[in-house]
Amino acid sequence: MIHAAGITKELPLGQHVIHALRGVDMDIYSGEMIGIVGPSGSGKSTLLGIIGGLDTPTQGIIEIDGVNITRMNEDQLTEIRNEKIGFIFQFFNLIPTLTALENVALPIQFARKTRYQPEKRARELLTSLGLPDRLNHRPAELSGGQQQRVAIARALANNPPLLLADEPTGNLDTESGAAVLQALEQIRAEFGTTIVIVTHDRELASRADRVLHLVDGRMVEDEKLKPE
Amino acid sequence: MIHAAGITKELPLGQHVIHALRGVDMDIYSGEMIGIVGPSGSGKSTLLGIIGGLDTPTQGIIEIDGVNITRMNEDQLTEIRNEKIGFIFQFFNLIPTLTALENVALPIQFARKTRYQPEKRARELLTSLGLPDRLNHRPAELSGGQQQRVAIARALANNPPLLLADEPTGNLDTESGAAVLQALEQIRAEFGTTIVIVTHDRELASRADRVLHLVDGRMVEDEKLKPE
Ligand SMILES: Nc1ncnc2c1ncn2[C@@H]1O[C@H](COP(=O)(O)OP(=O)(O)OP(=O)(O)O)[C@@H](O)[C@H]1O
Ligand SMILES: Nc1ncnc2c1ncn2[C@@H]1O[C@H](COP(=O)(O)OP(=O)(O)OP(=O)(O)O)[C@@H](O)[C@H]1O
Ligand SMILES: [Mg+2]
Ligand SMILES: [Mg+2]
């Protein structure tokens, strides 16, 4: 599903260059649930953004389903992202002027193949994540963990084959976090979705098939948790 | 240090009213470390904002050090907040155009009694939280957990007698989170700072003297963890 080779990311800052990623190689197979863990600042969000085609590496290639996305232009990337990738951002990136329902319905309205009825699908997803009575709230009228769950619902809107989640439970209590994990496991069981989760939550990481350990921009360990 | 009686908060939304807090009573004594836990959406951030004088209750009173802040005007509140209260926001609220160093130095420059040399104090705090080489980064040039630590350093800048922290470790790995907890315990041991921490992190909550449980806008339990 995902093949990454020699991924480096250099971020110039004033006189310095920050080496956010220093040559990362990674293969993720279709239908796997992968955890990515590592210290704060180790490059997890940067790596996820590159895998998701939201950012380009300084060096290296990324292939999604065998297609090299590293040299694509913005239009091609936008199409791949809309059709194939659901992204849960570390700080949600919800549209502040839209309600929870409108935020989740938006990607469905943009999809080329409209498989779902936008508002109905948005309502179902938000209800399944515990927010049936917050549909008409805008992000500023929601708690931190409620915003996070709207961001999760939005990423699931088009039922993408690849789901990239950056700290999806950071603002959730144990029960809400367990409900999110259960929703992800159910999607994977039903649709074979490939799920990559960056997390500091050990409980969540322990449910992955494999956990990739990132330290200071390098992948230092690929830990298999479950027998194949 | 803090006396809260009958705190309610009603938030009008369209035709409805959201009852974020439904009559909360609470007493917090000087030098205590208090945890506030509860499900996502239960009213923790709303309560913390009212205690910190950033928001007014619909009903009820809040006294800080015996002074009723509920009917103060904005100027009086600003002065109390600058002199007495350090606030760590759930989403940091860093100033995007300032560097990490400038964000932390700012409250020191605003303090009426300048006890510290702003830049020196900011540098020390950021270094103690693991960010010695990120002083000149602006928030957008920092990882999620690095931004969180800048927000913590900023709240500690004037060494306030009362520290209010909303999910201070949500974006931190276990080691960075432990370093934050250690810094808070050290401050309390050295200065007798009163610390109120909203958290979903059970490890962090278990280190408090008492844990207050909030459910659906009500305080349902006041759990003493340590013998007085
Ligand atoms: N401006 C607003 N208008 C209407 N309702 C609001 C507004 N802000 C918050 N709420 C609602 O008030 C309730 C309490 O919100 P609050 O942010 O205090 O919860 P919380 O306990 O901090 O949750 P979390 O753990 O997810 O951060 C939530 O159900 C939320 O939807
Ligand atoms: N625009 C930028 N310019 C310079 N350095 C940056 C920029 N964005 C991020 N960095 C640096 O790159 C490194 C990797 O950041 P990244 O956000 O990927 O970390 P992370 O592993 O997601 O951390 P966290 O767990 O705290 O979210 C960090 O040290 C950060 O300071
Ligand atoms: Mg990150
Ligand atoms: Mg909150």
Side-chain angles (χ1 to χ4, degrees):
Chain A
M1 180 59 154
I2 301 173
H3 170 65
I7 297 295
T8 66
K9 182 70 183 179
E10 289 167 14
L11 294 159
L13 190 74
Q15 319 288 354
H16 305 285
V17 175
I18 303 287
H19 296 274
L21 296 171
R22 300 167 191 266
V24 172
D25 303 316
M26 191 171 73
D27 281 291
I28 296 177
Y29 303 98
S30 198
E32 278 193 301
M33 186 183 278
I34 299 292
I36 297 182
V37 300
S40 169
S42 56
K44 303 179 297 296
S45 296
T46 303
L47 179 59
L48 214 64
I50 288 172
I51 293 172
L54 292 160
D55 190 11
T56 50
T58 309
Q59 278 184 316
I61 57 163
I62 295 265
E63 288 175 3
I64 303 250
D65 265 353
V67 176
N68 182 342
I69 67 167
T70 327
R71 299 285 161 258
M72 278 186 171
N73 65 37
E74 199 43 44
D75 284 352
Q76 289 169 305
L77 281 173
T78 303
E79 194 172 312
I80 288 237
R81 285 197 304 260
N82 277 357
E83 298 307 319
K84 290 207 167 184
I85 304 175
F87 207 111
I88 302 168
F89 294 91
Q90 188 165 4
F91 297 110
F92 323 147
N93 288 13
L94 295 175
I95 297 174
T97 49
L98 299 183
T99 66
L101 195 72
E102 291 165 343
N103 263 285
V104 178
L106 196 66
I108 307 170
Q109 288 153 348
F110 274 121
R112 251 187 342 172
K113 298 174 298 264
T114 43
R115 276 168 294 178
Y116 302 105
Q117 198 282 320
E119 210 181 279
K120 181 172 173 294
R121 169 89 176 153
R123 194 181 296 271
E124 281 167 9
L125 285 166
L126 287 165
T127 300
S128 75
L129 287 168
L131 297 174
D133 51 351
R134 292 287 182 275
L135 303 181
N136 299 320
H137 286 229
R138 287 192 303 265
E141 297 158 344
L142 292 169
S143 80
Q146 291 170 342
Q147 292 176 44
Q148 186 151 46
R149 285 177 280 164
V150 173
I152 292 167
R154 180 181 64 177
L156 301 176
N158 280 325
N159 200 5
L162 175 59
L163 189 63
L164 304 176
D166 198 345
E167 301 288 349
T169 61
N171 283 278
L172 296 179
D173 60 280
T174 312
E175 287 70 31
S176 303
V180 165
L181 177 59
Q182 204 180 350
L184 296 180
E185 289 181 328
Q186 202 176 331
I187 287 161
R188 187 163 76 118
E190 196 173 341
F191 302 103
T193 310
T194 306
I195 304 178
V196 183
I197 305 180
V198 164
T199 184
H200 288 307
D201 181 337
R202 295 202 162 177
E203 174 81 24
L204 185 56
S206 70
R207 307 286 280 264
D209 299 324
R210 279 191 295 146
V211 176
L212 307 178
H213 295 256
L214 209 58
V215 174
D216 198 19
R218 285 191 181 85
M219 200 64 88
V220 296
E221 195 187 337
D222 181 342
E223 187 193 351
K224 208 167 289 178
L225 296 185
K226 291 183 193 145
E228 257 143 46
Chain B
M1 180 57 153
I2 301 173
H3 170 65
I7 297 296
T8 68
K9 182 69 182 179
E10 290 167 14
L11 294 159
L13 190 74
Q15 319 288 353
H16 305 286
V17 175
I18 303 288
H19 296 274
L21 296 171
R22 301 167 191 267
V24 172
D25 302 316
M26 190 171 74
D27 281 292
I28 295 178
Y29 304 99
S30 198
E32 278 193 303
M33 186 183 279
I34 299 290
I36 298 181
V37 300
S40 168
S42 55
K44 304 178 298 294
S45 296
T46 303
L47 179 59
L48 214 64
I50 288 173
I51 293 172
L54 292 160
D55 191 12
T56 51
T58 308
Q59 279 185 313
I61 58 163
I62 295 267
E63 290 174 2
I64 304 255
D65 265 353
V67 177
N68 182 343
I69 68 166
T70 325
R71 299 286 162 257
M72 279 186 170
N73 65 37
E74 200 41 46
D75 285 352
Q76 290 169 304
L77 281 173
T78 304
E79 194 172 310
I80 289 236
R81 285 197 303 259
N82 276 356
E83 299 307 319
K84 290 205 166 180
I85 305 174
F87 208 110
I88 302 167
F89 293 91
Q90 189 165 2
F91 298 110
F92 324 147
N93 289 13
L94 295 175
I95 297 174
T97 49
L98 298 184
T99 66
L101 195 70
E102 291 166 343
N103 262 286
V104 178
L106 196 65
I108 306 171
Q109 288 154 346
F110 274 122
R112 252 185 341 171
K113 299 175 296 267
T114 43
R115 276 167 295 180
Y116 301 106
Q117 198 282 321
E119 208 180 280
K120 181 171 173 295
R121 169 88 175 155
R123 194 180 295 271
E124 282 167 8
L125 285 166
L126 286 165
T127 300
S128 75
L129 287 167
L131 299 174
D133 52 352
R134 291 289 182 276
L135 303 180
N136 298 320
H137 285 229
R138 289 192 303 267
E141 295 159 347
L142 292 169
S143 80
Q146 290 170 342
Q147 293 176 42
Q148 187 152 44
R149 286 177 280 165
V150 174
I152 293 167
R154 180 180 65 176
L156 301 177
N158 281 325
N159 200 5
L162 176 59
L163 190 63
L164 304 175
D166 198 346
E167 303 286 351
T169 60
N171 283 280
L172 296 179
D173 58 287
T174 312
E175 288 69 34
S176 305
V180 165
L181 178 59
Q182 203 178 351
L184 296 181
E185 289 181 329
Q186 203 175 331
I187 288 162
R188 186 162 77 119
E190 196 173 341
F191 302 104
T193 310
T194 306
I195 303 179
V196 183
I197 305 180
V198 164
T199 185
H200 289 307
D201 181 337
R202 297 204 159 175
E203 176 81 25
L204 184 55
S206 70
R207 306 287 278 265
D209 300 324
R210 279 190 296 147
V211 176
L212 307 178
H213 295 256
L214 208 58
V215 175
D216 198 19
R218 288 191 180 84
M219 201 64 88
V220 295
E221 196 188 337
D222 180 343
E223 187 193 351
K224 208 167 288 179
L225 295 187
K226 291 183 193 143
E228 255 142 42

